[in-house]
């Protein structure tokens, strides 16, 4: 990594890339999500049929990924806001990024059982 | 204004060592270059619209509110009370029986869609370089955004637990 380039290839750039990728993914999910929720206006059966796919093990894995994306985007978004509005924000941006990553890891471990528990039970039998 | 008008021999100024002479002196002053963004009599009162600034601010304000709205939503839908397994028509009917959660979902829908759409507008501006591509991508983005917001709003307001 070329020394002297302050931004390129370092934490600041990669957190920006991750923020952008997660933001775009969440937007696409939301589009589909409003469409599937709209099925409550069609019939209870139509809605329940589609929601059934949300309960399959494979989709549970996608839900875990969505939670990962939201949590990162939310926590890093707060960091971006702190960098912009807090007078000492720019100085602590790197420490704040590692705080974000730390909280994110803890929350993702906490989400393992609630989000994936039922999928594991289904795949490996009660 | 600095009074030192000799050009450095090399380095710094980016001027090579060839110009080993003073280009300017007291009798031949360097041309004056207006400071960037300096306001002159010709500058209009507003030098730019406020739209981009408003959008920038909106991203931050909506972001703070969305943290609460979306993370609570995920907690309710995926973690509490049996996680996804409990979701179904009856569950939604129970939730939208309360105006509180109707307003909650409405606010979440509008803020998340506008925040996401504005974010995507930035992304399109960054990567789509041909004017035509930009036009089409943004047209598609705005159409999808308006459609989704209207559909979601309609669904919340016209929800009927006794649909049959
Ligand atoms: C996999 C995770 C998710 C599940 C299982 C889920 C489930 C649901 C359910 C059951 C509803 C019906 C109304 C209610 O109960 O409040 C709903 C509505 C809604 N959800 Fe989610 N949700 C998830 C993720 C998200 C995310 C990440 C967002 C925001 C980015 C979001 C935004 C919304 C909105 C805006 C509505 C209202 C839709 C409308 O107006 O028709 N949801 N969700
Ligand atoms: C959960 C709370 C959220 C927070 C705190 C948050 C915060 C932010 C902030 C501060 C920015 C501006 C970044 C910048 O100007 O450099 C941003 C950008 C963005 N957000 Fe969010 N956001 C949240 C939720 C969402 C949701 C639900 C979506 C999708 C519907 C979304 C999609 C985007 C996109 C696409 C961008 C543009 C990324 C870029 O230009 O690189 N965000 N977010």
């Amino acid at each position: 990594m070329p020394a002297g380039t302050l931004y390129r290839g370092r934490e600041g750039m990669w957190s920006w890339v991750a923020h952008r990728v997660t933001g775009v993914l969440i937007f696409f999910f939301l589009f589909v999500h409003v469409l599937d929720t709209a099925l409550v206006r069609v019939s209870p059966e139509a809605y329940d049929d589609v929601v059934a796919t949300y309960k399959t093990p494979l989709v549970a894995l996608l839900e875990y990924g969505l939670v990962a994306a939201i949590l990162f985007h939310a926590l890093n978004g707060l960091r971006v806001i702190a960098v912009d509005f807090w007078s000492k924000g720019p100085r602590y941006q790197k420490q704040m990024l590692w705080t974000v990553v730390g909280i994110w890891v803890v929350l993702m471990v906490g989400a393992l059982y609630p989000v994936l528990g039922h999928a594991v039970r289904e795949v490996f039998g009660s | 204004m600095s009074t030192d008008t000799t050009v450095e021999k090399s380095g710094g100024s980016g001027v090579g060592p060839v110009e080993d002479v003073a280009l300017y002196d007291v009798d031949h002053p360097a041309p004056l270059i207006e400071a960037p963004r300096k306001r002159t009599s010709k500058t209009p009162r507003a030098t730019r619209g406020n739209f981009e600034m408003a959008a920038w601010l909106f991203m931050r304000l909506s972001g703070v509110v969305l943290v609460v709205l979306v993370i609570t939503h995920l907690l309710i839908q995926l973690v509490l009370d049996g996680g996804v397994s409990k979701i179904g028509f009856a569950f939604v009917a129970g939730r939208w029986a309360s105006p509180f959660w109707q307003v909650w979902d409405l606010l979440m829908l509008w803020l998340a869609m506008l925040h996401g759409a504005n974010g995507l507008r930035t992304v399109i501006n960054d990567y789509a370089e041909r004017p035509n591509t930009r036009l089409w991508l943004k047209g598609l983005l705005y159409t999808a955004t308006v459609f989704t917001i209207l559909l979601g709003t309609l669904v919340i307001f016209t929800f009927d637990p006794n649909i049959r």
Side-chain angles (χ1 to χ4, degrees), chain B residues 3-85:
Chain B
T3 49
D4 179 7
T5 51
T6 52
V7 173
E8 277 177 40
K9 278 189 182 167
S10 65
S13 67
V15 177
V18 223
E19 297 89 346
D20 207 5
V21 280
L23 289 177
Y24 308 111
D25 57 36
V26 196
D27 298 322
H28 307 89
L32 184 81
I33 298 171
E34 207 68 81
R37 291 172 181 234
K38 186 175 178 191
R39 301 194 153 246
T40 66
S41 54
K42 275 183 256 161
T43 315
R45 223 153 32 99
T47 48
R48 58 182 170 203
N50 284 327
F51 178 76
E52 287 302 337
M53 212 261 264
W56 181 90
L57 194 61
F58 170 75
M59 288 309 269
R60 276 133 188 92
L61 294 180
S62 59
V64 173
V65 181
L66 279 168
V67 172
V68 179
L69 293 177
V70 176
I71 292 185
T72 308
H73 183 71
L74 282 178
L75 208 60
I76 292 171
Q77 307 294 351
L78 290 179
V79 178
L80 301 179
D81 198 16
V84 266
S85 314

Side-chain angles (χ1 to χ4, degrees), chain A residues 26 29-30 33 37 47 63 66 70, chain B residues 70 73-74 77-78 84 87 91-92 95-96 105 108-109 152 155-156:
Chain A
I26 300 164
F29 164 79
L30 185 57
H33 184 45
T37 304
Y47 183 74
E63 280 153 23
L66 178 71
I70 299 258
Chain B
V70 176
H73 183 71
L74 282 178
Q77 307 294 351
L78 290 179
V84 266
I87 299 177
F91 173 77
V92 178
R95 289 195 23 95
W96 280 347
D105 283 356
M108 184 164 63
L109 171 75
V155 166
I156 294 177

Side-chain angles (χ1 to χ4, degrees), chain A residues 54-75:
Chain A
Y54 275 76
K55 303 176 185 177
T56 59
L58 191 68
V59 179
L61 220 53
L62 296 180
E63 280 153 23
Y64 193 69
L66 178 71
V67 171
I70 299 258
L71 286 179
F72 178 80
H73 190 94
L75 293 168

